[in-house]
Amino acid sequence: MPSALPLADPAPADGLLPASVVDGAGERTFGVYLHVPFCRVRCGYCDFNTYTSDEIRGVKQSDYAAQASLEVAAGAGILSESGLPRRAASTVFFGGGTPTLLPAGDLVRMLDAVRDSFGIESGAEITTEANPDSVDADYLAALAAAGFTRVSFGMQSAVPHVLATLERTHDPARIPLVVGWARDAGLDVSLDLIYGTPGESIDDWRASLEHAIAQQPDHLSAYSLIVEDGTKLARQIKRGEVAEPDEDLQADMYELADRMLAAAGYDWYEVSNWSRGAEHRSRHNLAYWQGGDWWGVGPGAHSHVGGVRWWNVKHPAAYADRVLAGVSPGAGRETLDAETREVERVLLLARIREGVPVSSLHAAGRHAVAGLIADGLINAKAALSGSVELTLTGRLLADGVVRRLLADD
């Protein structure tokens, strides 16, 4: 969740949505995202809306679960008053920040609020992100007992000098411990990795992949390091203290990850995500890519329902003031027009393995398919079956593929 909020129309104080959101609601999935904006240390590359204890004024972490629960209850009321049918959440995701900086009981309290206000489907996927040094066996067992099904650990790297550059605080030796504790609790496990950190070699990246694969997680994410304006890392690069990420090296690292993960039994299903079988895919993230609805809870959290997107005020103090006053914490919103919705549909669906149905593209996009096959960017067999599936090269050049699929007649 980037720290800068986009410019758009002001969100109404009552939070009510336009009548258009009702159209097709029964065909869309519904999920809940809960943003926990607290971190012990701000990593130099991070552009998310997070705050350390030194940066927070006027609010206490211990009050946050109650504040978020108020927004959850208000959100259920807003959806009902806007004419939407009641839809239980099929996925719930706690992100941050570091959700597990809060006591386990606070996360359970927020999950109970979702269950009480929105409802949670039987068999729902319920995930929290966690830093390896922010949980122990008892913590993970408490989450599992409350209904959590999945934990995503921010491993990032297994190489100490890479972790130091990223300003991550955990010891790589802790990864097997937390994975084992999660397994003992009955939780699915995902590991998040970052590649292309300044000073990281291809051998460093191979070592991280080997360490991650050795834990036999159910799911792995691998993201290239992006240098965001305004971050400490961007300033260090500008001053010449560290080198810029090498895009060619990052491409080599991606190809290495795909080879090693495939050899270990992992299938790619989204450009940056692999799982050990379809049942271990991140259903919450798939809902984003497939255009589902979700309510985002917390400071700076984004929501999307039926082509209407909105986002909350950023600072936890401003957020607390609004929810305690019974006012929507929304800062701005936009209603997407048909052209924007089509661009986003193709952009997002193109990233996942099932891809974009060829028949759903306009004429120029359908015409572009043959050229994309000839250039080795999409799978010919899948295209003949009616869908655009990116090849490995296509995944590396995904933005270019999308531009060609969206070309005007």
Side-chain angles (χ1 to χ4, degrees):
M1 181 184 305
S3 60
L5 294 178
L7 298 175
D9 297 327
D14 60 11
L16 292 179
L17 301 172
S20 61
V21 300
V22 177
D23 297 339
E27 301 169 7
R28 301 191 300 268
T29 59
F30 178 69
V32 178
Y33 171 79
L34 297 108
H35 184 64
V36 178
F38 308 117
C39 280
R40 184 172 291 118
V41 176
R42 175 176 292 280
C43 299
Y45 64 91
C46 181
D47 186 42
F48 285 7
N49 188 42
T50 62
Y51 303 83
T52 66
S53 58
D54 292 338
E55 298 169 330
I56 281 287
R57 294 292 184 273
V59 291
K60 296 187 293 185
Q61 290 186 19
S62 57
D63 294 333
Y64 184 71
Q67 295 161 5
S69 296
L70 286 174
E71 187 188 353
V72 169
I78 288 169
L79 293 182
S80 177
E81 291 179 45
S82 299
L84 285 154
R86 188 176 191 272
R87 293 173 295 167
S90 58
T91 63
V92 182
F93 195 101
F94 289 75
T98 309
T100 48
L101 271 188
L102 298 180
D106 283 2
L107 300 192
V108 172
R109 181 177 180 180
M110 288 187 274
L111 180 61
D112 285 343
V114 173
R115 185 177 288 112
D116 293 342
S117 297
F118 291 117
I120 297 177
E121 286 185 358
S122 175
E125 175 192 272
I126 303 172
T127 304
T128 187
E129 295 179 334
N131 284 352
D133 54 3
S134 66
V135 296
D136 58 21
D138 290 342
Y139 192 109
L140 294 168
L143 295 185
F148 282 77
T149 64
R150 188 172 177 274
V151 60
S152 180
F153 291 115
M155 173 180 164
Q156 316 310 2
S157 175
V159 179
H161 79 82
V162 175
L163 289 171
T165 300
L166 293 172
E167 298 186 90
R168 303 294 290 188
T169 58
H170 67 271
D171 184 332
R174 192 167 174 83
I175 298 297
L177 293 176
V178 295
V179 170
W181 294 333
R183 293 279 189 221
D184 290 344
L187 296 167
D188 265 26
V189 174
S190 179
L191 296 177
D192 284 357
L193 302 172
I194 290 178
Y195 60 91
T197 300
E200 182 181 33
S201 69
I202 195 78
D203 288 335
D204 290 333
W205 176 233
R206 182 180 289 106
S208 292
L209 288 166
E210 289 172 346
H211 191 65
I213 290 168
Q215 312 316 314
Q216 300 183 343
D218 304 291
H219 182 279
L220 285 128
S221 299
Y223 300 104
S224 63
L225 180 68
I226 297 173
V227 180
E228 301 287 358
D229 290 341
T231 61
K232 179 180 177 181
L233 179 60
R235 293 190 295 272
Q236 289 174 317
I237 290 173
K238 186 175 181 179
R239 293 193 297 263
E241 296 170 3
V242 296
E244 275 193 82
D246 183 328
E247 292 185 2
D248 290 336
L249 179 58
Q250 286 183 326
D252 291 341
M253 289 176 166
Y254 182 87
E255 292 178 348
L256 177 63
D258 193 63
R259 289 197 303 271
M260 290 181 63
L261 292 172
Y266 293 90
D267 294 323
W268 84 271
Y269 70 94
E270 191 276 338
V271 169
S272 299
N273 290 274
W274 292 258
S275 68
R276 196 182 290 279
E279 67 275 17
H280 295 298
R281 294 178 174 185
S282 170
R283 287 156 48 194
H284 187 83
N285 286 340
L286 274 173
Y288 294 153
W289 296 315
Q290 293 169 338
D293 290 348
W294 73 91
W295 191 286
V297 176
H302 286 230
S303 302
H304 171 266
V305 175
V308 178
R309 182 162 49 221
W310 70 96
W311 43 91
N312 288 346
V313 292
K314 283 176 51 179
H315 198 277
Y319 173 79
D321 288 344
R322 293 203 183 191
V323 296
L324 292 171
V327 176
S328 168
R333 84 177 186 191
E334 58 183 340
T335 299
L336 308 179
D337 59 27
E339 181 180 358
T340 302
R341 294 184 74 172
E342 175 62 9
V343 168
E344 292 193 359
R345 182 187 73 86
V346 174
L347 178 68
L348 295 171
L349 285 180
R351 291 183 62 87
I352 62 177
R353 185 155 205 157
E354 288 73 15
V356 187
V358 174
S359 61
S360 73
L361 297 169
H362 56 56
R366 294 195 300 272
H367 181 73
V369 168
L372 291 166
I373 293 172
D375 292 341
L377 299 177
I378 65 173
N379 184 302
K381 184 177 179 180
L384 289 172
S385 298
S387 67
V388 173
E389 178 188 311
L390 299 177
T391 62
L392 175 58
T393 303
R395 282 179 265 157
L396 287 167
L397 301 172
D399 289 346
V401 173
V402 169
R403 282 194 294 272
R404 290 169 66 174
L405 293 174
L406 289 168
D408 293 331
D409 289 301

